[in-house]
Amino acid sequence: MAMAAALPARGAVFGLDLGTRTIGLATSDATRTVASPLETLRRTKFTRDAEALFARMDHRAVVGLVLGWPREMDGREGSRCQATRAFADNLLKIRDIPLLFWDERLSTSAVQRMMVEEFDLSRGRRAAKVDAAAAAYILQGALEALARGRPVS
């Protein structure tokens, strides 16, 4: 089912930027207008990662997930897409929730460039914030598509 049709009229959505060592986490407001960086989770085992994610989702009454879809620059789906799909499939085995994959190509580099050019953050300060900021960048793109009625699934 398409994510837009599966979502209730109101409720926050989480954006995730899945890395091999971390998960960048962002949230939207209840009207799904604005995405904001939330935090970066250190990955351990899937079970613990899922518990941490679901605890945060429950705390914020999250009604859907947007996962960054890490295509290769030429559009191919490589091993990182396979890992993201496996993570999503395992989450959905635990909890049925509307989920959308959203192209994340260049999201991290765009966020890093913004952090340097607009906020003049040092490399150390960027490293601590880039995953959650990339998740917000990914989520904002998906929110804008949903608001425009652009088909997303």
Side-chain angles (χ1 to χ4, degrees), residues 121-144:
L121 293 180
S122 68
R123 181 174 295 190
R125 293 187 65 200
R126 283 194 317 263
K129 299 176 185 287
V130 71
D131 294 326
Y137 185 91
I138 292 162
L139 179 56
Q140 188 65 48
L143 294 175
E144 290 171 7

Side-chain angles (χ1 to χ4, degrees), residues 30-95:
T31 63
R32 297 191 284 273
T33 306
V34 177
S36 302
L38 194 56
E39 65 181 300
T40 299
L41 304 175
R42 285 266 162 229
R43 291 192 72 173
T44 56
K45 295 166 74 175
F46 173 79
T47 305
R48 283 193 201 157
D49 295 345
E51 287 172 0
L53 179 60
F54 288 139
R56 284 157 177 83
M57 288 171 62
D58 293 343
H59 177 73
R60 292 181 177 268
V62 169
V63 297
L65 291 173
V66 174
L67 274 70
W69 191 239
R71 291 182 183 269
E72 303 291 336
M73 288 307 294
D74 63 4
R76 286 181 298 121
E77 295 180 5
S79 60
R80 291 192 57 229
C81 283
Q82 292 172 357
T84 299
R85 185 175 306 282
F87 185 89
D89 289 345
N90 288 330
L91 282 179
L92 292 172
K93 287 177 186 172
I94 299 169
R95 185 179 294 182

